[in-house]
């Protein structure tokens, strides 16, 4: 077997084929993750793409796994089907030897080459697609060049000069037709033929969005010093990125590129490619992440398990990672989630970052974020009839059905503010894994919601299909549940509850001390945190700090009224009275009266219950004695 000229896609396919033939109980099967991680690192492919390709093959063998069985392999992925037809009759022993060979090779990546020229006669010959074009001025890599090797052709030169009449940049693809010859010192020559010419040369700026195109000498954007050489070596993964960029710009070139690189290579090129996005974020935000994920053929590319980057979700959160680990595990169990905890602990942020990781790992398409209200009904969650301009009634879907159609997770902030039975009642059956027929019709047929064995959710022919990866993530301030609608037991047992605790006081104090507010403001915020009758999360503390920074540490009263005390909803008047007595030392006399009136109005407390201490002059005994002596 010629492994040297085998594409990475073909090698990955053979490893996928090997494990697809194994039953889950086979001791060898447990090694698949390690192998896929190694292939991912070696060939710069996403781990989930490699693993998902096995899901395509699983239904073809008696292994006890269903895999992606809804469509035949030839419809899911043409290149993989062709490889399957090529290798389907290979015996298990030979396949094992091939996989052992692939996995034991430290560096079996294919290499390509680029040739850059600014000689007018050579450029013109290439533009005319002449045969046996002689290229000179080459001085390295002569021992690695062979007849038939593919090369990327780059036109150089200063377009400010009259003799440079061509576009500079990546201009075409060819192959070597002669061994290196005419060695003069370090220089030598080769001959090439042209296989494909681009309509317009691709410049560095055309490749800015392709992460893997950076630092391809003479072609890609550079982040380091670039040698001035006429020939360069390009790794297989970077060559695949260049081909992807050509395909993106010129889709009609696919058949020509398949003739040059082979169907298997171009098939790998059409898999996930990382694109870079310009993002504007305030200081201290989570690490930059790419949010575009290029998928192939839609639903079959989704991952069957959720494996997020825990550190990305927990960025800037000072807490044990156990809640996030639990979040991941419950999602993989098929549970919906409710994040609970005091105000300001970052429940919504954790939910949003978890969704971002689900998108990045191809577990789901995206999310819909909404906030529950007390007047929610099934019209908001499921949908209902609305009149059209013509006066006819037309069914409009609610947020739950919309999230299913778009294959999005549904994030519901403050979920317990809704009257759950009224808003979600008809969906209890659905959340328990059973199908539902709704009392609405589309084109004379009742709308149905059915559970699907597919990973993704979708809408088809009047039916909403709930994929195995669909989830609801709710957030709930634990202090709200006594004063708002209670969650019914029927609803609660369909969710896993995960508590996000308040960080240690040491972290909060460090957060306060690192701010830009004045010393008196720092002590004020510390006291607010310490004497608060209800634990305050870091988000609340940061809001108070930010307000004091804006007001130059003078906005104690407004900070208390606007940020802190709204978190005390539901507390007893006695607890409010104790807090009032401990914190008013930071207010002047008029502010004390104003704060007293605000608390009494906001929490409906009798005004004489909150007493403002009278001014008193404290005189110690020693001073009295001195005074008497003076008399």
């Amino acid at each position: 077997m010629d492994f040297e000229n085998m594409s990475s896609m073909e090698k990955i396919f053979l490893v996928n084929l090997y494990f697809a033939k194994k039953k889950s109980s086979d001791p060898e099967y447990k090694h698949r993750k390690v192998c896929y991680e190694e292939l991912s690192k070696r060939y710069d492919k996403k781990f989930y793409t490699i693993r998902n390709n096995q899901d395509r093959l699983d239904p073809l063998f008696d292994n006890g796994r269903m895999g992606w069985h809804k469509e035949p392999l030839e419809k899911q992925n043409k290149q993989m089907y062709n490889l399957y037809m090529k290798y389907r009759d290979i015996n298990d022993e030979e396949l094992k030897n091939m996989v052992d060979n692939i996995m034991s090779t430290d560096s079996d990546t294919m290499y390509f080459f680029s040739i850059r020229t600014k000689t007018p006669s050579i450029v013109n010959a290439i533009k005319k697609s002449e045969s046996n074009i002689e290229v000179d001025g080459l001085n390295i890599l002569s021992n690695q060049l062979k007849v038939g090797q593919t090369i990327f052709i780059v036109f150089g030169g200063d377009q400010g000069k009259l003799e440079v009449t061509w576009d500079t940049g990546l201009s075409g693809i060819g192959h070597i037709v002669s061994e290196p010859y005419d060695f003069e010192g370090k220089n030598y020559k080769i001959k090439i033929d042209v296989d494909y010419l681009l309509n317009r040369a691709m410049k560095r700026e055309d490749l800015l969005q392709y992460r893997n195109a950076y630092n391809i000498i003479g072609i890609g954007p550079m982040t380091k010093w670039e040698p001035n050489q006429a020939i360069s070596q390009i790794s297989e993964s970077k060559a695949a990125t260049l081909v992807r960029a050509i395909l993106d710009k010129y889709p009609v070139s696919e058949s020509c590129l398949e003739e040059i690189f082979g169907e298997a290579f171009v098939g790998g090129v059409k898999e996930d490619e990382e694109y870079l996005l310009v993002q504007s974020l305030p200081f201290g935000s989570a690490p930059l992440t790419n949010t575009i994920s290029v998928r192939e053929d839609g639903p079959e590319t989704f991952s069957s398990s959720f494996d997020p980057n825990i550190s990305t979700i927990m960025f800037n959160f000072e807490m044990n990672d156990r809640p996030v680990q639990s979040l991941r595990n419950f999602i993989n169990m098929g549970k919906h989630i409710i994040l609970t905890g005091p105000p300001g602990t970052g429940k919504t942020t954790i939910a949003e970052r978890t969704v971002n990781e689900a998108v990045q790992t191809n577990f789901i398409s995206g999310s819909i974020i909404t906030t529950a209200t007390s007047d929610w009904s099934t019209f908001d969650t499921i949908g209902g009839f609305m009149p059209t301009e013509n006066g006819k009634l037309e069914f409009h879907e609610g947020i739950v059905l919309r999230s299913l159609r778009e294959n999005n997770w549904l994030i519901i902030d403050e979920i317990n503010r809704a009257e759950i039975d009224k808003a979600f009642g008809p969906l209890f059956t659905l959340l328990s894994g059973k199908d539902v027929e709704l009392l609405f019709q589309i084109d004379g047929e009742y709308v149905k919601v059915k559970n699907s064995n597919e990973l993704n959710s979708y809408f088809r022919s009047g039916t909403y299909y709930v994929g195995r990866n669909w989830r609801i993530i709710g957030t709930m301030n634990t202090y709200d549940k006594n004063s708002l609608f209670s969650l019914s037991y029927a609803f609660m047992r369909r969710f896993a509850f995960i508590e996000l605790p308040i960080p240690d006081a040491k972290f909060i104090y460090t957060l306060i001390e690192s701010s830009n507010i004045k010393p008196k403001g720092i002590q004020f915020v510390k006291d607010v945190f310490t004497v608060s009758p209800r634990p305050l999360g870091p988000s609340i503390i940061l809001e108070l700090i930010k307000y004091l920074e804006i007001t130059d540490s003078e906005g104690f009263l407004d900070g208390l009224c606007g940020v802190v005390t709204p978190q005390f909803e539901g507390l007893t008047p006695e607890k409010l009275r104790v807090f009032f007595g401990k914190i008013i030392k930071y207010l002047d006399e008029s502010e004390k009266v104003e704060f007293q009136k605000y608390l009494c109005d906001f929490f409906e407390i009798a005004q004489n219950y909150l007493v403002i201490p009278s001014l008193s002059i404290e005189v110690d005994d020693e001073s009295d004695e001195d005074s008497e002596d003076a008399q």
Side-chain angles (χ1 to χ4, degrees), residues 48 95 232 350 513:
Y48 303 97
L95 178 59
S232 302
I350 291 290
E513 291 167 355

Side-chain angles (χ1 to χ4, degrees), residues 489-531:
Y489 175 74
F491 188 82
M492 291 173 63
R493 66 187 178 87
R494 288 159 171 81
F495 285 78
F497 286 72
I498 299 174
E499 173 81 11
L500 296 184
I502 294 284
D504 291 340
K506 181 180 178 182
F507 167 75
I508 298 294
Y509 288 154
T510 302
L511 191 69
I512 298 169
E513 291 167 355
S514 63
S515 66
N516 295 322
I517 55 179
K518 293 178 179 178
K520 184 179 179 181
I522 288 176
Q523 190 57 51
F524 167 72
V525 179
K526 282 184 176 181
D527 278 359
V528 167
F529 174 76
T530 303
V531 305

Side-chain angles (χ1 to χ4, degrees), residues 170 196 198-200 202 206-213 239-255 257 266 268-276 292-296:
L170 175 60
Y196 176 74
L198 279 65
N199 291 338
R200 187 185 69 82
M202 296 191 73
D206 295 322
L207 299 167
L208 286 172
Q209 63 178 321
Y210 299 90
R211 183 193 67 81
N212 201 38
T241 296
L242 293 179
V243 175
R244 175 58 169 267
I246 295 172
L247 269 177
D248 285 346
K249 192 171 184 64
Y250 304 110
V252 295
S253 67
E254 181 175 346
S255 59
L257 293 172
V266 175
V269 164
K270 292 194 294 183
E271 291 181 353
D272 289 3
E273 180 74 33
E274 284 194 333
Y275 291 80
L276 302 178
I292 288 184
S293 179
V294 180
R295 297 192 180 92
E296 178 186 6

Side-chain angles (χ1 to χ4, degrees), residues 54 168 174 193 227 277 290 410 422 463 518 564:
Q54 182 195 315
T168 59
D193 279 355
L277 293 177
N290 299 325
L410 181 58
K422 181 179 73 173
T463 300
K518 293 178 179 178
V564 180

Side-chain angles (χ1 to χ4, degrees), residues 70 334 336 404 427-437 448-458 463-471:
K70 294 293 185 180
H336 301 285
L404 292 174
L427 292 178
F428 285 169
T429 304
L430 174 69
L431 295 178
S432 64
K434 298 179 181 178
D435 299 341
V436 175
E437 183 173 278
K448 299 178 181 64
V449 188
K450 294 185 175 181
N451 289 278
S452 168
N453 195 45
E454 299 286 350
L455 297 174
N456 65 303
S457 302
Y458 55 95
T463 300
Y464 292 85
Y465 290 91
V466 183
R468 302 205 314 264
N469 290 0
W470 182 72
R471 301 288 184 273

